[in-house]
Amino acid sequence: MFLSLFIFLYRSLEETEKGRQDLKRQTLFLDTLLDNMPLSIFAKDINKEYRYVLANRQALQMTGLERDKAIGKTDYDLFPIDIADVYRESDKQAV
């Protein structure tokens, strides 16, 4: 009985680890794909004050921002208030 439980738990952990590795590979693939597109692509979480959750290389170059400093921030954290107001209004219209 103990051996069966051990084998079951071991296989479950193996499957979980394989799932994590698959997710990591997929995330890396999508990040690479987005970063190499010639378009400015970004996404914001409208449920969290329009905080940036994604920005590709082109979007970062256009804004002069760095990814680790932009993700999780709002336009008001990153830009002067007059520019942030314009971006926020544009976001609201897009939703």
Side-chain angles (χ1 to χ4, degrees):
M1 169 105 173
F2 178 74
L3 182 58
S4 296
L5 178 60
F6 176 78
I7 291 171
F8 171 77
L9 291 174
Y10 180 79
R11 286 183 180 161
S12 294
L13 288 173
E14 266 187 336
E15 290 173 11
T16 300
E17 182 59 29
K18 183 183 179 316
R20 284 187 188 135
Q21 290 173 359
D22 289 346
L23 181 60
K24 188 175 181 179
R25 274 193 298 276
Q26 290 171 0
T27 301
L28 179 61
F29 171 76
L30 291 174
D31 285 347
T32 301
L33 183 67
L34 288 173
D35 270 345
N36 289 289
M37 296 189 100
L39 305 169
S40 176
I41 301 170
F42 61 88
K44 298 177 184 177
D45 186 339
I46 63 172
N47 295 316
K48 293 187 178 178
E49 302 175 25
Y50 295 88
R51 293 185 183 279
Y52 285 91
V53 294
L54 179 144
N56 74 343
R57 185 180 305 147
Q58 186 71 17
L60 295 169
Q61 287 175 347
M62 287 180 61
T63 59
L65 299 172
E66 296 176 29
R67 182 173 283 130
D68 61 336
K69 292 182 180 175
I71 301 303
K73 303 281 177 45
T74 70
D75 290 320
Y76 291 99
D77 298 325
L78 302 169
F79 303 104
I81 194 164
D82 56 329
I83 294 172
D85 284 341
V86 171
Y87 290 163
R88 178 62 57 90
E89 189 57 37
S90 177
D91 292 341
K92 288 179 179 179
Q93 290 177 7
V95 177

